[in-house]
């Protein structure tokens, strides 16, 4: 399967979350989970969801190297295939994340997709992308709300992966993000809050197919 679509499962009701995961399995390439679901249902959700799909833990880890290691190791041992970290913490923390992940993937945030992402992250996005390449991350998070910024990050990172949130509820379009150089579009509310999450995921996958 290579739909190039990732579900952001920020549903906080565990039962509903598992239903959505089951409904979209076979359509999405991975499920990204974030604090809302882990805080409401516990970290066992990482392991449960890994039965349906690859699980990326979007913990946006931003800490000193030792704490980064503890978080990344814990997530990976529970079944995460990838962990998202912030890059602004600098080289030592980023290198520690990559080392702690072992065979799992570390994704570094560059420029964030929301309007506030322009205030600080955008000013250092290219530098953070360069640092991520040097530290050996597997890929980057770049905004579907500003496809031209995806293209700028792509110029720097060569063949490394770009995962792009901001599709649907935040106004971005999956096919625009992919055309600009993203490998995967990340979609949350527009899928898990829809009446028919499977149909909605199929719609995003079809949009992506128009440009690949
Ligand atoms: P939604 O499609 O419902 O807007 O969800 C987007 C998901 O991607 C959320 O989990 C959010 O935390 C995450 N995200 C984002 O929206 N912008 C970023 O720059 C980085 C993210 O991880």
């Amino acid at each position: 399967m290579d739909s190039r679509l990732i579900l952001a499962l920020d549903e906080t009701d565990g039962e509903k979350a598992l239903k959505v995961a089951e409904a979209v399995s076979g359509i999405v390439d991975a499920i990204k989970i974030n604090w809302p679901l882990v805080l409401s249902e516990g970290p066992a959700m990482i392991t449960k969801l890994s039965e349906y799909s690859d699980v990326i833990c979007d913990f946006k880890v931003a800490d000193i190297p030792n704490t980064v290691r503890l978080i990344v190791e814990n997530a990976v041992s529970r079944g995460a295939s990838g962990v998202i970290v912030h890059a602004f913490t600098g080289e030592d923390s980023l290198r520690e994340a990559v080392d702690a992940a072992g065979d799992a993937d570390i994704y570094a945030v560059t420029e964030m997709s929301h309007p506030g992402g322009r205030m600080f992250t955008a000013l250092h996005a290219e530098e953070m992308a360069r640092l991520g390449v040097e530290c050996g991350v597997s890929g980057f998070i770049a905004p579907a709300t500003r496809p031209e910024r995806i293209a700028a990050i792509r110029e720097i990172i060569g063949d490394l992966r770009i995962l792009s949130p901001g599709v649907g509820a935040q106004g971005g379009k999956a096919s625009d993000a992919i055309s600009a150089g993203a490998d995967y579009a990340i979609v949350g509310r527009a899928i898990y809050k829809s009446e028919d999450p499977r149909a909605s995921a199929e719609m995003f996958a079809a949009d992506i197919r128009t440009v690949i």
Side-chain angles (χ1 to χ4, degrees):
M1 175 185 34
D2 205 4
S3 64
R4 298 173 65 170
L5 178 65
I6 294 173
L7 169 67
L9 190 51
D10 295 326
E11 168 63 60
T12 53
D13 177 317
E15 223 169 279
K16 281 192 198 157
L18 289 172
K19 269 196 192 136
V20 173
E22 199 175 353
V24 303
S25 83
I27 303 176
V28 301
D29 285 330
I31 294 176
K32 181 183 86 61
I33 62 171
N34 198 330
W35 293 115
L37 181 57
V38 172
L39 289 174
S40 56
E41 295 294 334
M45 276 313 271
I46 300 169
T47 315
K48 278 190 199 156
L49 286 167
S50 68
E51 286 165 26
Y52 298 100
S53 168
D54 278 356
V55 174
I56 298 171
C57 285
D58 179 7
F59 292 158
K60 294 201 184 64
V61 188
D63 221 311
I64 60 166
N66 183 61
T67 311
V68 168
R69 170 172 291 278
L70 293 171
I71 296 169
V72 170
E73 281 178 349
N74 193 319
V76 171
S77 73
R78 289 176 188 276
S81 67
V83 181
I84 297 176
V85 306
H86 270 300
F88 66 75
T89 50
E91 182 175 349
D92 52 354
S93 288
L94 207 47
R95 284 199 191 280
E96 195 78 8
V98 171
D99 191 62
D103 291 337
D105 296 310
I106 291 295
Y107 297 101
V109 177
T110 58
E111 173 174 333
M112 294 194 73
S113 61
H114 62 311
R118 289 183 191 275
M119 287 182 72
F120 299 109
T121 59
L123 307 181
H124 298 280
E126 281 92 347
E127 273 170 275
M128 291 193 281
R130 275 190 285 274
L131 180 66
V133 173
E134 279 167 28
C135 294
V137 304
S138 301
F140 297 88
I141 308 298
T145 47
R146 292 173 220 114
E148 72 285 2
R149 300 295 292 149
I150 298 175
I153 300 298
R154 172 57 69 202
E155 292 258 307
I156 294 166
I157 66 161
D159 288 339
L160 295 180
R161 258 166 265 162
I162 295 180
L163 280 45
S164 186
V167 171
Q170 296 179 52
K173 194 163 184 248
S175 52
D176 289 348
I178 301 290
S179 297
D183 297 291
Y184 296 89
I186 298 175
V187 184
R189 286 164 285 180
I191 293 178
Y192 72 79
K193 274 187 183 292
S194 88
E195 297 260 299
D196 184 344
R198 187 175 178 85
S200 171
E202 268 165 355
M203 201 193 70
F204 284 104
D207 173 45
I208 290 170
R209 277 199 301 277
T210 63
V211 293
I212 58 175

